Structures are given as structure tokens and as C-alpha cells.
Amino acid sequence: MASSYQYNMTNNTCLMLSDTSCEIIQACRRAVSILSMCCCLGMLLILVLFKKYKFMIHRLNMYLTTSVFFQALGFAVQDYKVVNNAQYDSHTHSVCIFEAWWLFYSNWVPFLFICCITFNIIYLILSHRSTARFEKYYLFISLALPGALSGLPFIMSSYGPAGLWCWIISKRDGETFVPGVTMSFVLYYGPLWIIIVAMVIGQVVTMRLHYKQTKKVLLCECHTQKVESFWTVEIKILLFLPWINILGVLFATLNRIRLATNSHLSEEANFFFWFMHAVTDPLHGTLYALVFVTAYSRFGVKQLKEALLQFCTNKTTVKDYPIVSVVDEDYDSSFKSEYVEKKDDG
């Protein structure tokens, strides 16, 4: 075995855990990943059937769902036996580096899409103006920025075996690998928690301002009902998104801090941290599906059947689109035109 790969065996997590424990963690991680992938496919199907891709605010949901699917796919294909393999050679090392890079990149992309969706909702609630012009910037931030960040660990050869799977390494040759530990917290965990705190603060401020706005008298009762229906959906999403991020990175952060500080724990404690890290990492798709179902509860079985029939037969029926289409096209002009029509009718 080449000397450049010897550090892997000194970083063998399953020397601290039994093979059975490692297999249990791997199986649970893979099961949660597959569940998240199925939830993502279900959400994409609903968005396509109801033609929500026509509206920018729902295209953001499609982008997020697609990115979470590929994130869960990366979790599902990882195998601890790649890291803890006595035949760890140059080919296995290359596979490990690719898995580590993919995990880093695919974790950042959905997180940034969630940030963009949160900003988009806050902007809509506070300004009541179209955000369609921001779509290209959301895509650039969510796809290009992770690409740049994921390339930095290559500079110090920081990708490699990091416990039960491949990631930015925290140990090399049995000693703490300072550049790897620094990069994992400077490029990932540190910015994540700073952004999450900012999202929670923005959420609280937005809720207060929105509550004050709802006290104002609106022009037309018909428009009021549509707007309130739209804001109810978006506020539900806004309330849940930061907490999905918190649950997704909490145990991962605690586990990496424990590894970086060389905390010596019992096998039971090691198992607990690795298990919670393993099952909460790929949980984003399932949690986001729950938020999606809660927010868009009007999509019942009957509506799904009608949408599927319309999709298969290519028949068009006149439907009353929700206020989201108004917001996407031009909130101000649609608001005024609807008010004028109401006055003419009445």
C-alpha cells in the first residue's frame, strides 16, 4: 500500500466502533437518503402536474427539490467500507476524494437555495413587488458559489477519509490535521451557522412587520382573500426553512467539533454522535416534503387525479390560479387592474 495513503488506517472510525455498529449507521443513513429521494421525486411530480414551473417562486422550489435529490443520492451511494478498507490504494483514494467533493458541493447548493427562497419571501412580504428579475442571481449564487468553495480544500489536499465517510479530513497519521479542521469550519460549518442565525433574525423581523401590515385596511375584499391565502402559504414556508437547516447541521457540527478536539468518549457515545450525524444529514428532503405538504395542503387526492388526467390527456381546463402568478408577473399592475375590474362590476 502506498505510503501516501497510510493515514487512512490510523483514522479508521470502525476501530472505535464495532462492525455491526458501522453497518447499522450505514444502513440507516442509506434508508433515510432513499426516503428523501422519494420525497423529492414526489414533490417534483406535483410541481410538474400542476404546472408550477411557470412561476418563478415555484421554480425556486423545483431547484431546491432537485438539489436535495442529488444531495441525498450522494449520501446513499457512500459506503464506510471505502474509507475503512485494508486495500486502500490510489484508485480508492480518488473515489474517496470525489465523494468528499460531491458531499461538500451538494450540501452547499440546497442550503443556498433555501437562503434565496427565504430572501425572496421576505422581499415579497415587505415590498409586494415582483422578484422575477432575481432568478438568475439566485441560480448563480446557489450553483457557482459552492463550486468555488468546494475547490479550496484541494489546495491543501484536505479531502479524504473523515470517519465513516469521505469529507474534509480532521486527522492525518493519527494527529490532528489543522488545515483540514480549519477549512471544515471556515468554509462550511462557520458560514452555515452565521447564515442560519441571520435567517432566524430576518424571520422574526419580517413576521413583526407583516403583522403590522395586516392591520392596514386593504382596497378590496376579493383581493384580500387571495393575498392572505398566498401569504399564509409563504409564511408557513418561511417559518420552517431555518429549522430544517438547524436540524440538518446540528449533530454534524457537534460530531465534527468532538473529532477536532480529540474528545475520548465511550463506544456508546461515539455510536450516538455518528448515528445522529448519519441520519440527520440526508433528512432535508423528507423534512422539506413535510413543509411542502403542510404549506400546500390544498393539493388533495382529487386535485392530483384531475391534474394527472389533464396531463395525460393534454386537455386544458380553465382554473383560477393562485395569487402567486400575480406576484411573479407584476404584483403592482395586477393589483390595480383587479381593483378596477371589481369597481366596474360593482
Side-chain angles (χ1 to χ4, degrees):
M1 181 167 54
S3 60
S4 60
Y5 309 112
Q6 288 287 343
Y7 71 87
N8 171 72
M9 301 313 296
T10 62
N11 192 29
N12 189 328
T13 301
C14 282
L15 293 177
M16 297 179 289
L17 297 172
S18 66
D19 288 339
T20 302
S21 297
C22 290
E23 290 174 0
I24 291 173
I25 292 172
Q26 175 71 56
C28 292
R29 182 179 176 86
R30 189 163 290 169
V32 175
S33 301
I34 293 173
L35 176 61
S36 290
M37 291 167 63
C38 293
C39 291
C40 290
L41 291 175
M43 288 189 289
L44 287 173
L45 176 63
I46 291 175
L47 290 170
V48 171
L49 286 179
F50 286 91
K51 299 182 179 180
K52 293 299 180 181
Y53 50 82
K54 293 183 177 181
F55 312 125
M56 191 275 284
I57 196 167
H58 288 304
R59 282 199 299 272
L60 291 178
N61 289 334
M62 294 188 71
Y63 301 149
L64 171 60
T65 304
T66 304
S67 65
V68 172
F69 174 86
F70 285 104
Q71 179 194 40
L73 180 62
F75 289 128
V77 300
Q78 283 189 325
D79 191 347
Y80 80 92
K81 293 180 181 178
V82 171
V83 180
N84 302 277
N85 186 356
Q87 302 300 323
Y88 190 84
D89 53 17
S90 59
H91 173 71
T92 309
H93 185 62
S94 299
V95 172
C96 184
I97 289 177
F98 175 78
E99 289 183 353
W101 170 83
W102 180 254
L103 190 60
F104 187 96
Y105 180 80
S106 64
N107 279 352
W108 260 117
V109 172
F111 178 78
L112 289 177
F113 270 125
I114 287 178
C115 293
C116 291
I117 291 173
T118 302
F119 170 81
N120 194 72
I121 294 173
I122 290 175
Y123 186 87
L124 283 173
I125 291 175
L126 298 183
S127 70
H128 289 224
R129 297 175 61 186
S130 172
T131 59
R133 63 188 184 280
F134 296 151
E135 184 174 3
K136 57 184 178 182
Y137 301 113
Y138 294 154
L139 288 171
F140 178 80
I141 291 172
S142 301
L143 298 177
L145 183 58
L149 292 175
S150 63
L152 295 178
F154 284 109
I155 299 174
M156 298 297 296
S157 300
S158 298
Y159 285 132
L164 285 177
W165 47 83
C166 299
W167 175 246
I168 301 176
I169 60 177
S170 57
K171 292 182 182 296
R172 177 172 288 178
D173 299 324
E175 301 294 331
T176 299
F177 183 56
V178 177
V181 173
T182 303
M183 283 196 171
S184 65
F185 286 96
V186 171
L187 298 180
Y188 188 71
Y189 293 110
L192 245 63
W193 282 105
I194 292 173
I195 295 173
I196 288 173
V197 171
M199 288 172 65
V200 173
I201 294 174
Q203 178 191 90
V204 173
V205 173
T206 302
M207 292 301 99
R208 289 174 61 91
L209 293 176
H210 176 68
Y211 177 76
K212 292 179 181 179
Q213 286 181 355
T214 56
K215 295 292 184 180
K216 297 179 179 179
V217 179
L218 297 177
L219 295 178
C220 142
E221 182 180 355
C222 171
H223 182 75
T224 302
Q225 293 174 354
K226 289 184 177 182
V227 170
E228 288 305 311
S229 176
F230 168 68
W231 294 137
T232 299
V233 170
E234 301 310 313
I235 287 173
K236 284 181 181 178
I237 296 176
L238 180 63
L239 288 173
F240 283 110
L241 285 181
W243 304 105
I244 292 177
N245 284 329
I246 290 174
L247 181 59
V249 301
L250 176 61
F251 287 101
T253 305
L254 293 176
N255 193 35
R256 293 302 177 185
I257 291 175
R258 177 183 68 87
L259 293 174
T261 55
N262 294 312
S263 300
H264 298 287
L265 301 176
S266 63
E267 181 177 345
E268 290 76 12
N270 278 323
F271 177 82
F272 171 78
F273 277 104
W274 277 110
F275 179 82
M276 295 304 297
H277 185 174
V279 298
T280 55
D281 251 355
L283 200 59
H284 293 84
T286 305
L287 293 176
Y288 188 64
L290 293 176
V291 173
F292 185 88
V293 170
T294 303
Y296 297 98
S297 56
R298 65 180 182 275
F299 294 153
V301 177
K302 181 179 179 181
Q303 288 75 18
L304 285 174
K305 287 182 178 179
E306 291 178 355
L308 184 61
L309 180 62
Q310 180 180 337
F311 182 82
C312 294
T313 58
N314 200 26
K315 292 181 179 179
T316 57
T317 55
V318 177
K319 296 286 184 179
D320 183 21
Y321 279 92
I323 192 65
V324 64
S325 59
V326 175
V327 176
D328 275 333
E329 295 301 328
D330 189 344
Y331 187 94
D332 294 330
S333 62
S334 297
F335 184 97
K336 293 175 182 177
S337 63
E338 186 180 87
Y339 176 57
V340 171
E341 290 176 4
K342 183 70 178 178
K343 287 180 65 177
D344 292 341
D345 292 340

